[in-house]
Amino acid sequence: MLPRVSYESLHFHIPAATVNKIAAWILLSDDAYMQSEINKHGVTTAIKYQGKVGFHRLNEVPKQTGMATPYYGTIGGVYNFIFNVQEDDTTLRIRHSLGNQFKLKPYETALGTHIQFEEHSEASNRWFSNRLETIIEEHEKDFRFYIDGEIYANLLAIGWQKERIQEYQYKFIPTTVGCRIIIRHIASTRTFDLTENIDW
C-alpha cells in the first residue's frame, strides 16, 4: 500500500466584519481616484458603470458609491494587501499603489486572527482565487488569502520555515488574471515573488 501523501497550505483569515469595512474603503478609494483623474484631466475612464461592462468616459463621479469601477489598466492590481504576523495577532495594511498621487492613506487594522495551516489529501491552487471582486461582492462573508499548491512549494523552496513565519511580510496583489504573491524577509529586505514563473 502506498503511503498517504498530504499537502499543506496556509491562509490569512479576514473576519466578515472586517471584510465589510475593507469593501467600503475600496469603493471610496475608487471614487477618490476617479475624482482625482477628473480634477486633473476633466474626465476619468471606468471599466464598469451602472452594471454595464465596457469603457465609459465620465466627467463626474456617480453620487452612489460603487456605481463605477475605475479602469486601472489591463489587469488592474492597484490594491496591495500586506500582512505582518505577530505573536498575538496578524495585522493587515491595504495600500492603493497610486494613492500617494491623491493623498489616500492606507487602510490598517489588526485582524484578531492568526495565520492558519491546513493539510489536504490533494494538491490545490486556491491562491489563484484570491480575488478583489469576491471581497466587494461577498463583503458580508469571511475571506481567506491562500498560499498553497505551486505557490506553497515555491515558498518552501526559498528556505522559508514555519518556525520563522514572523520574519517575513506577506503581500497579495489581486489582479484580473490571478493574484501576485510577494514576500519580504524583514531583516534583510530581500523580496521573493512566489508567482513570478507561474503559468496563469
Side-chain angles (χ1 to χ4, degrees):
M1 183 175 179
L2 293 174
R4 178 180 175 273
V5 177
S6 64
Y7 300 87
E8 192 166 56
S9 69
L10 64 85
H11 67 256
F12 297 82
H13 175 206
I14 307 177
T18 303
V19 174
N20 196 34
K21 293 174 184 176
I22 289 170
W25 181 83
I26 288 172
L27 294 178
L28 289 173
S29 300
D30 283 348
D31 283 358
Y33 170 78
M34 290 189 291
Q35 186 61 61
S36 173
E37 290 293 289
I38 291 169
N39 293 344
K40 290 177 185 176
H41 311 293
V43 67
T44 189
T45 302
I47 193 63
K48 184 163 67 173
Y49 177 56
Q50 293 183 334
K52 296 179 180 179
V53 177
F55 291 104
H56 304 270
R57 304 280 279 178
L58 307 178
N59 55 22
E60 65 178 7
V61 177
K63 292 181 180 179
Q64 185 176 341
T65 300
M67 289 297 290
T69 303
Y71 178 64
Y72 288 123
T74 306
I75 64 170
V78 298
Y79 288 102
N80 294 204
F81 291 75
I82 304 165
F83 295 88
N84 285 285
V85 181
Q86 301 169 353
E87 285 188 15
D88 57 348
D89 202 353
T90 302
T91 61
L92 169 62
R93 183 174 186 263
I94 308 175
R95 186 174 67 84
H96 190 299
S97 62
L98 303 172
N100 287 341
Q101 298 177 20
F102 55 101
K103 299 180 180 179
L104 176 68
K105 292 183 179 180
Y107 177 92
E108 299 185 61
T109 186
L111 295 176
T113 58
H114 299 280
I115 192 171
Q116 297 177 11
F117 292 87
E118 296 179 6
E119 282 197 2
H120 312 275
S121 58
E122 297 180 357
S124 64
N125 276 314
R126 285 178 294 179
W127 67 271
F128 186 78
S129 60
N130 295 330
R131 301 190 65 83
L132 189 67
E133 291 89 343
T134 305
I135 293 174
I136 300 297
E137 295 168 6
E138 300 183 21
H139 57 84
E140 295 182 355
K141 296 182 180 180
D142 287 18
F143 188 86
R144 289 166 173 79
F145 276 102
Y146 283 94
I147 295 180
D148 61 357
E150 297 171 81
I151 306 303
Y152 192 77
N154 288 347
L155 181 66
L156 296 176
I158 65 168
W160 176 93
Q161 299 174 353
K162 277 186 184 180
E163 297 76 19
R164 297 183 174 179
I165 194 168
Q166 298 174 30
E167 296 180 10
Y168 293 84
Q169 184 181 76
Y170 305 81
K171 178 162 63 175
F172 297 79
I173 308 173
T175 75
T176 57
V177 295
C179 182
R180 290 185 68 197
I181 303 176
I182 300 170
I183 71 167
R184 181 171 70 92
H185 186 257
I186 296 169
S188 68
T189 71
R190 289 185 65 197
T191 60
F192 306 88
D193 187 342
L194 303 180
T195 47
E196 184 176 15
N197 298 312
I198 293 294
D199 184 10
W200 292 351

